Amino acid sequence: MTPRLQGLLELNGQLGVSGEEAGQGFVSLSPGIKVVPFPVRSLFLGLGGSFPVSNEELDARARFALFYHF
């Protein structure tokens, strides 16, 4: 979007391969943004949400992340 603001879109998933959770899993979509909060352009703060796409009991949740590009 701009040098100090970037869009994010993540697709997350999990699938059990053994034990009681074998064959069970979920998929969620996580849109968000990365912002440069300080003059140091290698440090980003990520803000977003995570929403279930598949049929599971996972609720929506907020996501916060800190990125350091070196």
Side-chain angles (χ1 to χ4, degrees):
M1 295 185 221
T2 71
R4 294 182 63 106
L5 180 66
Q6 299 178 4
L8 288 175
L9 184 60
E10 297 179 10
L11 184 63
N12 303 302
Q14 178 178 328
L15 178 65
V17 293
S18 65
E20 294 180 9
E21 296 182 358
Q24 297 177 10
F26 67 87
V27 176
S28 63
L29 185 65
S30 303
I33 59 171
K34 279 179 20 181
V35 180
V36 178
F38 307 110
V40 178
R41 299 230 178 222
S42 57
L43 185 63
F44 286 81
L45 176 62
L47 306 168
S50 186
F51 307 96
V53 176
S54 58
N55 293 332
E56 76 267 345
E57 297 179 11
L58 181 69
D59 294 329
R61 56 190 158 185
R63 298 177 64 108
F64 302 98
L66 191 60
F67 299 92
Y68 183 76
H69 296 253
F70 50 97

